[in-house]
Amino acid sequence: MKRILLVEDEQHLANGLRFNLEAEGYAVEIASDGEAALALLLQERRSFDAVLLDVMLPGKDGFEVAAELRAAGQFVPILMLTARGRAEDVLRGFETGADDYLPKPFELRILLARLGGLLRRHQWIQQTPANGVAANSKADSEPAAFEFAGKTIDFGALELRVGARTVQLTLMEADLLRYLVKHEGQAVSRRNLLEEVWGLHEDTD
Ligand code: CA
């Protein structure tokens, strides 16, 4: 059973989401603020498969929580819940280490699709051995590393190396790059990216 940490201060919203996630077979724990989430993940070292992280929290907000987790080397997949229409929230979310985001209010089935996609990507990364050779038959079409113009993308370590510099990639960034590498030399449509990388379908606006 996949364990989800839901970080949300609005209790009715948190309880409603927990109810729906549990109905989908997830085990859900709620943290009502950022401090509680950090305590669970960093001090108690509790293990979760993904974190649903609201941006608007009392005390430390979702950005600060994500940044502190990543700074401490905690790379649990994070789906950030942002305010609708705030592009700066989305960009800041990715900068602080979120793997994906969803604007509030959201439809439950979109949340479930995003969460499922995030968990699938994470599983794929974990199944790729660190020595760079994927263990399954996808090895030919999904390389563990890719080099271009003096840069190396390491899909196993989720890193982009440029000379001596190493950039940590989010799961979404790695998946997006993997898709583009697989289709090297081709134009890919926005629709294909949404469907193949984000796992969303034609009803997406
Ligand atoms: Ca909130």
Side-chain angles (χ1 to χ4, degrees):
M1 188 182 271
K2 298 283 185 192
R3 289 147 305 170
I4 309 297
L5 176 62
L6 171 60
V7 191
E8 170 63 85
D9 58 309
E10 287 160 76
Q11 209 174 4
H12 66 284
L13 232 166
N15 288 335
L17 256 180
R18 169 156 68 184
F19 177 83
N20 283 297
L21 288 166
E22 284 177 350
E24 294 293 320
Y26 293 109
V28 180
E29 189 150 337
I30 296 173
S32 57
D33 60 31
E35 301 283 0
L38 288 169
L40 280 173
L41 287 160
L42 298 182
Q43 272 97 63
E44 294 179 37
R45 300 193 167 276
R46 292 277 307 281
S47 165
F48 292 94
D49 294 290
V51 177
L52 290 178
L53 178 59
D54 190 30
V55 167
M56 300 288 283
L57 294 169
K60 283 180 181 164
D61 65 17
F63 301 123
E64 291 173 275
V65 172
E68 280 193 36
L69 289 176
R70 294 331 189 203
Q74 166 50 277
F75 291 104
V76 62
I78 296 176
L79 174 56
M80 199 173 262
L81 307 174
T82 65
R84 183 177 287 280
R86 298 234 329 163
E88 62 268 39
D89 275 7
V90 172
L91 294 174
R92 207 172 147 208
F94 283 128
E95 279 164 18
T96 54
D99 293 289
D100 199 4
Y101 76 96
L102 193 61
K104 278 173 132 182
F106 48 79
E107 274 190 56
L108 182 66
R109 62 201 176 109
I110 301 290
L111 173 80
L112 293 172
R114 291 287 182 85
L115 181 60
L118 197 57
L119 292 168
R120 267 196 313 280
R121 279 192 291 283
H122 194 234
Q123 202 160 17
W124 192 95
I125 296 287
Q126 288 179 325
Q127 283 166 356
T128 306
N131 67 12
V133 183
N136 57 34
S137 59
K138 288 178 170 178
D140 292 339
S141 56
E142 296 185 355
F146 182 79
E147 289 183 28
F148 67 102
K151 301 169 186 70
T152 304
I153 306 165
D154 184 333
F155 291 110
L158 287 184
E159 286 174 357
L160 169 68
R161 289 190 286 272
V162 188
R165 208 170 140 234
T166 299
V167 180
Q168 186 75 43
L169 300 173
T170 66
L171 290 171
M172 180 60 80
E173 287 166 341
D175 219 34
L176 191 52
L177 288 168
R178 184 184 298 115
Y179 187 84
L180 294 172
V181 166
K182 258 177 88 176
H183 297 85
E184 192 182 357
Q186 300 167 29
V188 295
S189 69
R190 177 178 178 279
R191 184 197 168 104
N192 281 348
L193 288 176
L194 284 173
E195 290 187 358
E196 304 292 326
V197 180
W198 267 263
L200 296 177
H201 294 281
E202 64 270 9
D203 55 346
T204 309
D205 64 19

